[in-house]
Amino acid sequence: MAPDLLLLLAVMGASCGLGQAMTPEEKQRLRNQVVEMFDHAYQNYMDHAYPADELMPLTCRGRVRGREPSRGDVDDALGKFSLTLIDTLDTLVLLNKTTEFEAAVRRVLSDVRLDNDIVVSVFETNIRVLGGLLGGHSMAVMLKEGGQHMQWYQDELLHMAKDLGLRLLPAFNTSSGLPYPRVNLRHGVRGPETRTGTETDTCTACAGTIILEFAALSRFTGDSIFENHARRAMDFLWEKRQRNSNLVGTTINIHSGEWVRRDSGVGAGIDSYYEYLLKAYVLLGDDLFLQRFNIHYASIMKYISQPPLLLDVHIHKPLLPARTWMDSLLAFFPGLQVLKGDIRPAIETHEMLYQVTKKHNFLPEAFTTDFRVHWAQHPLRPEFAESTYFLFKATGDPYYLEAGRTILDNLNRFARVPCGFAAMKDVRTGSHEDRMDSFFLAEMFKYLFLLFAEPQDLPFDVEDYIFTTEAHLLPLSLSTAPLSSVVPSNRTSEEELDDSNFDWTCPNTRLLFPDPAFPRNLREPIRSVIDKSCPRPAPHREPGMGHPPLRAQDFMANNPEHLELLRRMGVSLIHLKDGRVQLVQHASQAVSSVAAEDGVRFMQEMMELSSQQQKEQLPPRAIQIISHPFFGRVVLTAGPAQFGTDLSKSSTGVRGFITVAEPYSGCSEITNAEYVRGHIALLQRGQCMFAEKARHIQKAGAIGGIVIDDNEGSSSDTAPLFQMAGDGRSTDDITMPLLFLFHKEGNILLEALKEYRQVEVLLSDKARDRGADVQDAEENCQSEATSPASSEPVGQTQSGSVELEEKAPEEVSSAQKEVGSGPAEEASLPQEEVSPVDPPADTAQPEDDRDSNQPEGGPDSSRQSVDELLADWQEDLEAFKQMEKDEL
């Protein structure tokens, strides 16, 4: 059936005159802009990173595994095989860079080695490296047949692909046929000594996203072993689906076939399994893959699809939602629905994603059902651009050209840096991560170029190829390649289904859209819903407890009388190693039963106060270095204060040069007021209240303040941001902004000041346009920062302890109090409502990344360069790590 589908895919490209068409000149301008942006990313990789796997665009150097602090499972994509170059090969051809492609192929053949003693992800290596080699081979053959280029080529890339395929095969040596998630490129699967062979679980997408590359490798080489292994894995996943719901879970035991995680959706952990079922039918012409896809798709639309939302459910109870948020990887799904021919829900979901993108400039890694940020990172993922391209192909609606323009503009405004494009660490503030993943070059620029290209702009007909999940190009002619020894997929009796149950063809879009306004009519209500989805925070509710002799809101940890009252009530104060203070109540240690009851009331009031403050938590702020040589390219995530200037209500922020206050603690009258006046003062955390620091520098004439944590090694990457509170009395007299930086980010400023003397920064609610002083103020749905552990429901815990954010007891105030765990049983609140969740202990930083070189004491004791400090940032919040772990 594949040849029939080719014709129908071409029909889907027929345009319908919807809306105002973009002029050919404007499309050409945008097309040229895509090429210029690709050149900026690719050339910086070649100049500053090659032969490393990826570019670190903030520090202008290559990411070499083992030389940089470990990022956990994310680094399993790196195998010391020049990943970005291989992943980019067929992009070069599509963008008409034939000369560069030929040079890149020669580099790969001369420089890249695959027999590295390194453990890599089977999934990532398959889609990025094996797919990249096969896509490059397809392009090389096409160019050679054209008679103009690559006349010297003798299938060298294909030979490398087969070598890599053989190195991946040991991972499939399991009783189920599902591959181990990791393999050692040199030694295969050998057990604990090679960090392989001990895993029991893998994600559904990891095992089910093999068939395109392995089948293509088999058909190119004539060796069926690769396709047979991939088919066996697909068969096993199909057999293990939940038979009532016809859904699959997210994580499966590769030995027993038991579902480890039973939540089911179309995003992280499952996404490309569904994609490869449909595309395997397109590439190989095997009806069985389409039958299975259609059965799954019917269940997706019945249980998971709630237009325009796509919400995870439990496979055994598919009417029961598994979460209240969506991840950004599901943005590929409208594009897959276009290939399926189900255009209406594709339009609806895409419009929802587009409106979220316009609110936050990029798709956050996860966002809630009311379209607020859940996980704030954005690693320059291409899935939204992919769906935008396919919807334009299906509808011809120029609305999607405007969506593509939005993607281009946001990449240039917010992600572009001198050495490439940097991932967004937080879409709310515009802060960066020092990473540019290979998929950015492999996918993003392909889809954007195709979106704005005319047929004559392309060196070949893309309708003759299918895109893998990494956007590598495999020729559809492989469906007719002779391969007699392929073992057919297992067809059970229940799969002998009547063809009438399935859509075997894709519809003609002219019949879908008799009314040219049809897509627009679908989009309007969705846009309206999202525009109105910013509910105000719940009003503060006063604690309904009796009042003990000491009120929680009045408690001061540096007040001896308060400490004595706590002792009499059986409440002890414990200083934690991470700088916080914990309160624990033991009724048996109180001086009397009445005092014990007072202690219980005090703890309950403290937890209620902490809970209310967590619900009213402010979003993070941004500190942007705008002076030479940074020019706005470095953005630091900062914690807000509950007092002083509200930066979210300022269209310009506060701009000024920084200077170190004396005394550095800011706890007494400033002695260098002549230097602080008109500047933004740098202060050290500790010894007094935040509000007291603010009053002292304001009196000295400062226009703003930045408090730097004195806890060595602290970083916004590994600790939840918190907001600075007042001192228990009115703070209306403080009229300037005060922001908080953790130790690592603070040292960036101190080192910049030390090296360049004149350092100008902008304090704002989010980063402004690069290269512009001010970005037009926007009303945006902002959400409070979340951490990965808080993304899942946490049951009620019996707790009588309270943790306080501030390190120094003298600096404790009510807004820094958080509920922790303790032995007493009187107090009980849901943990996720009362405390920011610390990163799990098993994700601690490596020993070599624990700031052994960080300065002690004041700002002048540091010896690290700005580049070293920038490189020392941890790239991923734990929530993002967990999400990508599902993929790996």
Side-chain angles (χ1 to χ4, degrees):
M1 296 240 175
D4 295 335
L5 191 63
L6 287 181
L7 175 62
L8 290 160
L9 285 172
V11 172
M12 290 178 65
S15 65
C16 305
L18 307 179
Q20 183 64 42
M22 182 178 286
T23 65
E25 294 76 19
E26 183 63 8
K27 288 184 68 175
Q28 181 179 2
R29 187 189 71 79
L30 293 172
R31 186 165 62 249
N32 292 340
Q33 186 177 13
V34 172
V35 175
E36 185 278 328
M37 292 166 65
F38 169 83
D39 289 340
H40 179 68
Y42 178 71
Q43 201 55 53
N44 272 290
Y45 165 74
M46 296 304 296
D47 291 345
H48 299 293
Y50 182 81
D53 283 316
E54 290 180 342
L55 170 68
M56 299 173 68
L58 297 183
T59 50
C60 299
R61 57 197 176 98
R63 182 180 298 282
V64 179
R65 193 165 168 191
R67 295 184 187 175
E68 304 297 330
S70 173
R71 300 177 299 169
D73 293 340
V74 178
D75 282 340
D76 287 340
L78 312 180
K80 298 182 179 178
F81 34 36
S82 300
L83 172 64
T84 298
L85 182 61
I86 292 177
D87 220 0
T88 309
L89 289 176
D90 50 7
T91 307
L92 288 167
V93 178
L94 185 68
L95 271 58
N96 295 292
K97 296 183 175 294
T98 309
T99 302
E100 290 88 339
F101 171 74
E102 193 157 352
V105 172
R106 291 186 184 276
R107 282 182 181 269
V108 169
L109 298 179
S110 62
D111 298 348
V112 175
R113 295 292 176 268
L114 298 175
D115 63 338
N116 303 318
D117 185 8
I118 192 168
V119 175
V120 296
S121 160
V122 173
F123 167 76
E124 296 289 355
T125 304
N126 173 68
I127 65 171
R128 298 201 208 187
V129 186
L130 182 57
L133 292 171
L134 292 172
H137 170 69
S138 300
M139 296 294 98
V141 170
M142 181 269 297
L143 291 172
K144 183 177 182 180
E145 291 175 350
Q148 297 294 320
H149 304 278
M150 301 295 294
Q151 297 304 299
W152 55 269
Y153 183 69
Q154 298 294 326
D155 295 345
E156 290 88 347
L157 291 177
L158 180 59
H159 299 153
M160 286 187 69
K162 184 172 183 180
D163 179 21
L164 180 59
L166 292 172
R167 295 178 186 278
L168 296 179
L169 277 184
F172 292 81
N173 187 24
T174 62
S175 58
S176 66
L178 299 180
Y180 285 102
R182 298 175 186 83
V183 68
N184 186 291
L185 288 177
R186 179 177 295 174
H187 302 295
V189 178
R190 291 178 52 182
E193 68 275 12
T194 60
R195 202 166 66 89
T196 57
T198 58
E199 305 98 333
T200 59
D201 306 335
T202 193
C203 72
T204 301
C206 301
T209 311
I210 305 289
I211 185 67
L212 291 189
E213 292 82 4
F214 269 41
L217 181 58
S218 285
R219 310 238 170 171
F220 272 132
T221 63
D223 189 344
S224 62
I225 187 171
F226 306 105
E227 184 173 337
N228 288 339
H229 277 291
R231 283 178 176 266
R232 185 183 176 209
M234 295 290 272
D235 289 345
F236 191 82
L237 289 173
W238 171 253
E239 287 298 316
K240 292 301 177 180
R241 75 192 186 283
Q242 210 289 322
R243 298 304 177 96
N244 292 322
S245 67
N246 280 315
L247 296 173
V248 292
T250 301
T251 308
I252 191 171
N253 185 295
I254 60 176
H255 304 297
S256 68
E258 295 293 321
W259 291 109
V260 179
R261 283 184 51 190
R262 294 176 172 83
D263 49 314
S264 183
V266 296
I270 302 179
D271 49 1
S272 47
Y273 162 68
Y274 294 134
E275 178 185 3
Y276 270 38
L277 275 175
L278 182 56
K279 290 184 175 179
Y281 163 69
V282 177
L283 180 66
L284 306 177
D286 188 336
D287 296 349
L288 187 63
F289 290 119
L290 182 61
Q291 287 190 9
R292 292 176 177 178
F293 173 80
N294 279 327
I295 292 172
H296 281 315
Y297 186 78
S299 293
I300 290 170
M301 299 309 292
K302 181 178 180 180
Y303 300 118
I304 296 172
S305 177
Q306 301 178 35
L309 309 180
L310 292 163
L311 294 177
D312 285 17
V313 299
H314 295 276
I315 58 175
H316 293 92
K317 296 180 179 179
L319 298 177
L320 181 64
R323 60 175 65 151
T324 59
W325 48 271
M326 296 165 279
D327 66 71
S328 64
L329 286 170
L330 61 75
F332 90 100
F333 198 67
L336 188 65
Q337 290 178 306
V338 169
L339 188 61
K340 157 72 176 172
D342 198 1
I343 311 296
R344 179 182 183 124
I347 291 173
E348 293 173 331
T349 297
H350 180 276
E351 181 61 21
M352 177 268 293
L353 296 169
Y354 187 27
Q355 295 305 315
V356 173
T357 296
K358 290 202 288 188
K359 282 190 176 296
H360 303 294
N361 298 322
F362 299 96
L363 269 184
E365 275 296 78
F367 51 94
T368 62
T369 53
D370 61 352
F371 314 113
R372 294 176 179 272
V373 173
H374 185 70
W375 297 340
Q377 302 81 10
H378 174 77
L380 307 182
R381 292 199 185 277
E383 286 79 11
F384 178 67
E386 174 185 356
S387 288
T388 301
Y389 162 66
F390 283 115
L391 270 168
F392 178 69
K393 288 283 291 181
T395 67
D397 189 343
Y399 180 83
Y400 297 108
L401 297 177
E402 294 302 326
R405 187 205 302 267
T406 299
I407 298 171
L408 281 183
D409 289 347
N410 288 343
L411 286 172
N412 273 322
R413 290 170 62 194
F414 304 110
R416 187 167 184 144
V417 294
C419 286
F421 291 85
M424 306 307 295
K425 180 179 180 179
D426 192 317
V427 299
R428 297 163 298 188
T429 64
S431 56
H432 287 137
E433 289 188 70
D434 200 3
R435 65 185 287 188
M436 187 179 80
D437 291 82
S438 68
F439 54 68
F440 182 61
L441 286 163
E443 300 183 65
M444 181 70 81
F445 295 111
K446 273 199 190 86
Y447 291 124
L448 290 176
F449 184 80
L450 286 168
L451 178 64
F452 299 114
E454 302 293 347
Q456 62 269 22
D457 300 319
L458 303 176
F460 56 88
D461 187 353
V462 293
E463 301 294 346
D464 292 336
Y465 296 82
I466 191 162
F467 290 102
T468 69
T469 195
E470 191 78 2
H472 292 306
L473 293 155
L474 299 178
L476 292 172
S477 58
L478 289 174
S479 63
T480 60
L483 199 61
S484 57
S485 57
V486 168
V487 177
S489 296
N490 296 328
R491 185 184 295 269
T492 62
S493 58
E494 65 187 79
E495 292 181 77
E496 300 294 342
L497 300 172
D498 185 3
D499 285 2
S500 63
N501 291 332
F502 302 104
D503 294 326
W504 290 100
T505 58
C506 299
N508 185 328
T509 55
R510 289 173 179 158
L511 301 178
L512 273 178
F513 305 128
D515 177 5
F518 178 71
R520 183 171 64 252
N521 293 337
L522 291 178
R523 291 191 294 259
E524 287 297 337
I526 296 170
R527 183 181 303 118
S528 176
V529 167
I530 297 177
D531 285 343
K532 298 175 182 177
S533 64
C534 298
R536 298 180 181 274
H540 181 78
R541 180 173 59 84
E542 291 294 332
M545 309 295 179
H547 294 164
L550 177 62
R551 297 289 304 274
Q553 65 186 44
D554 298 329
F555 172 67
M556 301 278 290
N558 62 332
N559 188 320
E561 294 181 3
H562 289 181
L563 295 178
E564 175 60 20
L565 283 173
L566 291 186
R567 187 193 68 77
R568 294 179 62 82
M569 293 187 294
V571 178
S572 57
L573 184 146
I574 303 171
H575 294 272
L576 303 176
K577 291 182 178 180
D578 62 3
R580 289 174 297 165
V581 178
Q582 186 178 47
L583 298 175
V584 181
Q585 201 250 351
H586 301 272
S588 60
Q589 296 179 7
V591 296
S592 67
S593 59
V594 174
E597 291 178 6
D598 288 340
V600 171
R601 294 192 188 100
F602 173 82
M603 296 296 288
Q604 289 173 333
E605 189 176 85
M606 184 73 80
M607 287 187 288
E608 178 70 16
L609 181 62
S610 177
S611 175
Q612 292 299 330
Q613 289 159 349
Q614 286 302 311
K615 292 176 182 177
E616 297 170 3
Q617 184 175 352
L618 300 170
R621 304 302 187 206
I623 299 176
Q624 189 172 12
I625 309 179
I626 57 179
S627 56
H628 172 82
F630 304 97
F631 299 120
R633 305 299 184 183
V634 175
V635 182
L636 308 175
T637 300
Q642 292 179 336
F643 53 84
T645 301
D646 185 353
L647 292 171
S648 67
K649 297 179 180 178
S650 170
S651 62
T652 60
V654 174
R655 175 175 177 171
F657 290 91
I658 58 174
T659 188
V660 177
E662 295 178 4
Y664 189 32
S665 67
C667 292
S668 59
E669 185 173 347
I670 303 301
T671 59
N672 63 337
E674 67 275 17
Y675 297 107
V676 169
R677 187 174 300 109
H679 287 67
I680 295 173
L682 302 184
L683 306 157
Q684 188 178 48
R685 177 184 182 180
Q687 301 181 31
C688 65
M689 307 294 289
F690 289 119
E692 185 177 347
K693 297 175 188 288
R695 290 189 177 98
H696 282 138
I697 61 172
Q698 180 173 282
K699 182 179 179 182
I703 60 174
I706 300 172
V707 178
I708 298 175
D709 194 9
D710 63 340
N711 183 20
E712 281 199 28
S714 66
S715 168
S716 64
D717 294 322
T718 55
L721 286 179
F722 64 91
Q723 50 195 345
M724 299 177 287
D727 52 5
R729 56 193 179 95
S730 173
T731 54
D732 293 343
D733 59 316
I734 302 175
T735 58
M736 60 166 204
L738 188 71
L739 298 181
F740 178 88
L741 286 179
F742 284 106
H743 187 268
K744 282 189 178 182
E745 288 82 355
N747 266 9
I748 298 289
L749 284 185
L750 294 174
E751 281 299 311
L753 186 61
K754 181 177 178 182
E755 188 165 346
Y756 300 106
R757 291 185 165 273
Q758 294 290 318
V759 177
E760 190 176 16
V761 301
L762 175 67
L763 313 183
S764 59
D765 62 328
K766 59 181 178 180
R768 307 307 186 192
D769 268 357
R770 287 18 171 200
D773 292 338
V774 178
Q775 172 184 317
D776 291 337
E778 295 178 348
E779 289 201 9
N780 201 345
C781 293
Q782 298 287 358
S783 74
E784 54 186 61
T786 61
S787 69
S790 65
S791 63
E792 298 294 339
V794 178
Q796 297 251 341
T797 57
Q798 296 293 332
S799 173
S801 71
V802 178
E803 292 177 10
L804 309 178
E805 280 287 356
E806 278 301 339
K807 177 178 181 177
E810 296 83 358
E811 214 172 325
V812 174
S813 63
S814 59
Q816 284 91 44
K817 298 158 187 165
E818 76 175 69
V819 174
S821 57
E825 69 279 3
E826 287 86 350
S828 174
L829 281 176
Q831 187 172 351
E832 64 178 3
E833 290 185 3
V834 294
S835 69
V837 185
D838 291 332
D842 61 353
T843 57
Q845 302 174 41
E847 288 297 327
D848 60 356
D849 191 36
R850 294 188 184 273
D851 303 289
S852 58
N853 296 324
Q854 292 289 339
E856 294 184 10
D860 295 332
S861 61
S862 174
R863 293 292 181 266
Q864 285 184 291
S865 70
V866 174
D867 282 349
E868 287 171 336
L869 284 163
L870 286 169
D872 203 27
W873 282 350
Q874 291 288 335
E875 267 78 8
D876 299 288
L877 292 171
E878 300 303 327
F880 187 28
K881 287 181 178 180
Q882 181 61 43
M883 179 178 172
E884 291 207 342
K885 187 174 182 180
D886 291 343
E887 275 297 323
L888 293 169

